[in-house]
Amino acid sequence: MPSTRRAVSIVMLSCLLVAGCKGASLGGAAPSPGGTGATGASGAAGGTDRTIAVGAGPQKKYAVQQQPAAGSCHYRYVKGEPLEDPTCTPGATSPAVTQSNLASTICRKGGYTSGVRPSAYVTGKEKKLNAASYGFTGSMRDAEYDHLISLQLGGDPNDYRNLWVEPADPGHKKGAGVNNRKDPVETKLHTAVCSGKVTLAAAQRAIVTDWTTALSRLGLG
């Protein structure tokens, strides 16, 4: 019956123009909630697939590094634990540390970090500037000027992208000094890298993604 087919066609056309019919009534797949431009979990800020910058590496003489604009950085919190702003502090590795030279750098006996660490004169000035970047107003004594990728994991010593003012942990006694739970995580990752349980790159990716989950992500928790 031509008149019936014409009526059905008009109804279907109206559905397409007005509501889109959500695809399913025409046999098509429903659109993704995020649309075609949605970013998957691995592509989100702090995702494991993002490239980590390479800094200048150890220097004979360090200069005070320019920091992000005051108030432009914002802490994130996971179960009360402070995390860095991945835009301001995405991390940076040192070109002096590679998978092939671990035995002569971060895994060598006698230590590595003391020989590449910037002076307190330099980091003290940077810490104050970075505190302004993050809008940090707490006690500077309780806050650590932290290498996101620690020196013992091949992080760049003085690249501004690898340093941030890390607030004290939840429940930390005010005025008790620096005592962050991120530090033992870094040590365990260092041990795993030097024993061959995980690669240097895997440890670096895990720590920049989320230090609170770095060990479990690598099966070390």
Side-chain angles (χ1 to χ4, degrees), residues 96-183:
V97 180
T98 65
Q99 184 67 39
S100 62
N101 71 5
L102 294 176
S104 62
T105 55
I106 63 173
C107 299
R108 74 167 183 247
K109 292 184 178 180
Y112 160 81
T113 62
S114 61
V116 301
R117 190 182 299 277
S119 69
Y121 172 81
V122 170
T123 58
K125 289 180 177 294
E126 291 175 347
K127 184 177 181 179
K128 290 181 180 179
L129 293 171
N130 190 265
S133 300
Y134 273 89
F136 178 78
T137 58
S139 170
M140 294 294 278
R141 285 188 56 199
D142 294 337
E144 179 177 355
Y145 191 44
D146 176 69
H147 289 91
L148 179 60
I149 303 175
S150 65
L151 296 182
Q152 63 179 334
L153 290 175
D156 193 87
N158 199 41
D159 192 306
Y160 79 94
R161 294 169 294 187
N162 196 44
L163 284 154
W164 63 301
V165 172
E166 180 185 4
D169 289 312
H172 179 74
K173 185 178 179 181
K174 187 176 181 179
V178 174
N179 182 20
N180 291 314
R181 294 175 185 170
K182 180 172 179 283
D183 294 340

Side-chain angles (χ1 to χ4, degrees), residues 24-131:
S25 62
L26 296 178
S32 168
T36 56
T39 303
S42 62
T48 57
D49 64 344
R50 66 183 174 89
T51 301
I52 303 174
V54 179
Q59 306 291 311
K60 290 183 178 180
K61 185 177 182 180
Y62 291 102
V64 175
Q65 298 296 298
Q66 185 175 353
Q67 302 296 313
S72 64
C73 307
H74 306 282
Y75 292 113
R76 299 173 292 147
Y77 288 87
V78 174
K79 296 181 180 179
E81 292 289 346
L83 274 71
E84 78 294 339
D85 184 326
T87 300
C88 293
T89 317
T93 62
S94 170
V97 180
T98 65
Q99 184 67 39
S100 62
N101 71 5
L102 294 176
S104 62
T105 55
I106 63 173
C107 299
R108 74 167 183 247
K109 292 184 178 180
Y112 160 81
T113 62
S114 61
V116 301
R117 190 182 299 277
S119 69
Y121 172 81
V122 170
T123 58
K125 289 180 177 294
E126 291 175 347
K127 184 177 181 179
K128 290 181 180 179
L129 293 171
N130 190 265

Side-chain angles (χ1 to χ4, degrees), residues 14-28:
S14 299
C15 179
L16 285 169
L17 292 175
V18 177
C21 284
K22 300 190 183 295
S25 62
L26 296 178

